[in-house]
Amino acid sequence: DLTGANLSGTNLSGANLKRSRLIEVNLRGANLSGADLSEADLTGANLSEETLDEAILAGTILPDGTESK
């Protein structure tokens, strides 16, 4: 559970974050290229200026509360 963590600018490329609780996490400018975020909860997270190239988002709850397909 990383709720509320400040991970801005962090290199998380290729990270396995499947089913992680990332509620209200600051990911501004983070590199999430190729990361597995499937079924993760990003409710309220700051994803501005992040890199999501080839990230896996199946079933991820996005910052606005909607679920990705």
Side-chain angles (χ1 to χ4, degrees):
D1 185 352
L2 295 169
T3 298
N6 182 2
L7 300 175
S8 61
T10 304
N11 182 1
L12 297 168
S13 60
N16 181 356
L17 298 169
K18 187 173 186 173
R19 296 188 183 116
S20 295
R21 289 179 45 92
L22 302 168
I23 298 167
E24 296 185 8
V25 169
N26 182 3
L27 289 163
R28 182 184 180 115
N31 180 358
L32 295 162
S33 298
D36 184 353
L37 293 161
S38 55
E39 300 176 29
D41 188 347
L42 296 168
T43 303
N46 179 353
L47 293 177
S48 59
E49 302 175 25
E50 86 297 330
T51 303
L52 286 168
D53 299 331
E54 299 183 29
I56 301 167
L57 300 171
T60 301
I61 299 173
L62 303 173
D64 65 0
T66 60
E67 185 175 329
S68 68
K69 307 258 184 230

